[in-house]
Amino acid sequence: MANSSKVYVAVDDSGGTIRDISNMVRRIRWPRSADMLESHGVGDTSKEFTAGLKDGDQVGLELIWDNTATIGFVAVFGSSSVGSTRSLHFAPNGNTSGQERLTNEAIIATVERGHGVGELVGATVTMQISGTVTEDTVP
């Protein structure tokens, strides 16, 4: 089983160019779920469920501030990005051929900048998954 400390995370910028933001990512949370629909009958004494629509979760990114002109935080997640749809790519074991990869379209729901005394300047971005998450491998 492979495990890497060098994940690959990329998001396209407002012009549609995929930007590798891996060096900024401190943590990514990418939950996957399915809605649970009650499916029991009128006379049943216990609840029964059926899986409904999948995904619709929110991806959370905790980032280190980087002001690089083309791949930094402002270039990818500037203030005008909230509410926009972006492509999101995540390869937990790096961006090399054959590695597992998740991709989808997501709406930037929140952008938060923050800094505490003695801490690195950071930011948090929440992206709402919209549509199907594709699970495949890096070509």
Side-chain angles (χ1 to χ4, degrees):
M1 176 161 105
N3 193 353
S4 174
S5 61
K6 180 62 176 158
V7 302
Y8 173 76
V9 179
V11 178
D12 59 347
D13 61 20
S14 60
T17 301
I18 292 291
R19 302 293 184 179
D20 180 353
I21 63 168
S22 303
N23 289 332
M24 289 190 294
V25 176
R26 293 179 61 198
R27 179 180 315 265
I28 180 170
R29 293 176 317 281
W30 190 313
R32 302 285 312 274
S33 67
D35 293 338
M36 294 293 115
L37 309 172
E38 290 189 36
S39 60
H40 53 276
V42 174
D44 291 346
T45 58
S46 298
K47 289 184 177 182
E48 295 175 11
F49 293 91
T50 300
L53 296 174
K54 294 184 291 186
D55 301 311
D57 295 320
Q58 291 187 336
V59 175
L61 297 168
E62 292 178 25
L63 307 167
I64 297 170
W65 186 267
D66 180 349
N67 63 354
T68 307
T70 57
I71 63 165
F73 183 86
V74 175
V76 179
F77 297 110
S79 60
S80 63
S81 68
V82 174
S84 63
T85 301
R86 302 291 177 83
S87 296
L88 177 61
H89 300 247
F90 172 49
N93 289 310
N95 195 32
T96 55
S97 181
Q99 295 297 326
E100 173 192 15
R101 176 179 69 172
L102 301 171
T103 58
N104 72 283
E105 293 297 303
I107 301 165
I108 298 174
T110 63
V111 174
E112 177 183 343
R113 297 165 177 91
H115 174 64
V117 175
E119 296 178 353
L120 292 171
V121 176
T124 303
V125 175
T126 304
M127 300 179 77
Q128 176 68 52
I129 294 172
S130 181
T132 301
V133 173
T134 301
E135 294 185 54
D136 60 4
T137 57
V138 177

